[in-house]
Amino acid sequence: MTMFYQEFQKVLLSVDCIIFGFDNNKLKILIGRRQMDPGRGEWSLYGGFVRNDESLDDAAARTLYELTGLHKIYMRQVGAFGSVDRDPGERVVSVAYYALINVKDYDDRLRQEHGVEWVEADKVPAMFSDHNEMVSKARQLMKEKIKTRPISFQLLPPLFTLTQLQRLYEAVVGEEVDKRNFRKRIKDMDYIEKTELIDKTHSKRGAALYRFNKKTYDEDPTFKL
């Protein structure tokens, strides 16, 4: 610690993580009961305070790893939330991040250990402080991003059907899309590859399985994340 800025009030800085998953054609969010005061027992996002030796991104990545056990998760900053009375305990400014994970990649033992649950994004209960506002803003950002960038592949298994892809898109944007037009758009995208594999889970005829070609996407100069 230095002697600088002694005349100014110190403010606590935290990160809160909105973790989206996609399961049974539903967009879901990980939330749990708050395990500290103030607000103990209230529904809450998972977060933590930023350490002195961490950047904001590093703090968010650490928090996500503690909860999911996953590295290199797709993560984007939502924004800063700093209403004076947002936390009744202390003056706390929180920077929210949203992350996308494949539900199947998440070890359920970790979910139980941290006491969190997958809740449908459209049925999120009232949560501590401004966490509902964070979720609302994250969903809006995600809705805008998915229309122009392939973020949906972070939520799907490596092999997926076009129906799965369409259902995910609809869950994020909050509206149904025309099947024929959607598939026409998808088939015009070089980075979505049709494989020779067939998914026969729901019918004898089955449905073709597709995959995301990250190399093709990265080499296309028209796309930048």
Side-chain angles (χ1 to χ4, degrees):
M1 296 291 289
T2 70
M3 297 300 293
F4 299 111
Y5 312 125
Q6 294 297 314
E7 68 271 30
F8 297 106
Q9 175 185 335
K10 300 301 186 292
V11 175
L12 294 172
L13 182 63
S14 68
V15 293
D16 282 296
C17 298
I18 305 132
I19 304 175
F20 290 102
F22 185 67
D23 190 39
N24 292 325
N25 293 330
K26 300 290 185 181
L27 184 67
K28 298 185 177 182
I29 301 175
L30 269 180
I31 64 173
R33 296 287 185 179
R34 189 169 164 87
Q35 299 178 10
M36 61 187 296
D37 293 319
R40 186 183 298 271
E42 294 183 33
W43 287 110
S44 171
L45 296 172
Y46 192 84
F49 289 101
V50 179
R51 297 170 180 170
N52 287 338
D53 61 348
E54 289 181 319
S55 68
L56 285 170
D57 288 355
D58 288 342
R62 170 182 56 80
T63 300
L64 286 167
Y65 177 72
E66 289 173 354
L67 179 61
T68 67
L70 301 174
H71 284 296
K72 296 181 179 180
I73 297 174
Y74 179 93
M75 177 183 71
R76 291 294 182 273
Q77 191 178 116
V78 176
F81 294 78
S83 296
V84 174
D85 59 352
R86 65 173 301 274
D87 191 312
E90 289 285 352
R91 180 78 168 95
V92 181
V93 173
S94 183
V95 178
Y97 285 78
Y98 80 85
L100 311 178
I101 69 172
N102 184 341
V103 173
K104 299 297 188 293
D105 290 338
Y106 184 32
D107 190 334
D108 200 56
R109 289 175 298 178
L110 277 175
R111 182 190 65 77
Q112 294 179 41
E113 178 183 326
H114 289 284
V116 292
E117 301 178 20
W118 285 110
V119 176
E120 289 184 27
D122 291 328
K123 298 180 180 178
V124 175
M127 294 191 290
F128 175 76
S129 186
D130 48 14
H131 289 191
N132 289 85
E133 182 184 348
M134 291 178 180
V135 170
S136 179
K137 187 172 182 181
R139 291 196 68 185
Q140 183 59 40
L141 291 174
M142 202 173 147
K143 180 178 179 179
E144 295 167 2
K145 180 76 76 173
I146 201 172
K147 293 178 179 179
T148 58
R149 297 292 184 268
I151 65 171
S152 53
F153 302 108
Q154 309 290 335
L155 297 163
L156 291 169
L159 295 174
F160 52 86
T161 66
L162 291 185
T163 297
Q164 285 177 298
L165 184 58
Q166 180 179 337
R167 293 288 179 264
L168 171 56
Y169 183 89
E170 291 174 334
V172 172
V173 301
E175 59 187 37
E176 292 185 8
V177 296
D178 180 78
K179 179 179 178 179
R180 183 178 299 177
N181 289 338
F182 182 81
R183 296 194 173 207
K184 182 179 179 181
R185 277 184 57 201
I186 295 302
K187 290 177 180 179
D188 289 338
M189 298 177 180
D190 294 338
Y191 54 83
I192 299 179
E193 293 182 338
K194 184 178 181 180
T195 72
E196 297 179 353
L197 301 173
I198 301 294
D199 176 21
K200 294 187 177 182
T201 304
H202 302 292
S203 69
K204 291 183 179 180
R205 181 182 178 184
L209 286 167
Y210 290 73
R211 65 186 169 203
F212 172 53
N213 188 320
K214 188 175 186 301
K215 182 179 179 181
T216 300
Y217 176 82
D218 289 340
E219 291 176 349
D220 191 329
T222 63
F223 293 107
K224 291 186 183 296
L225 281 175

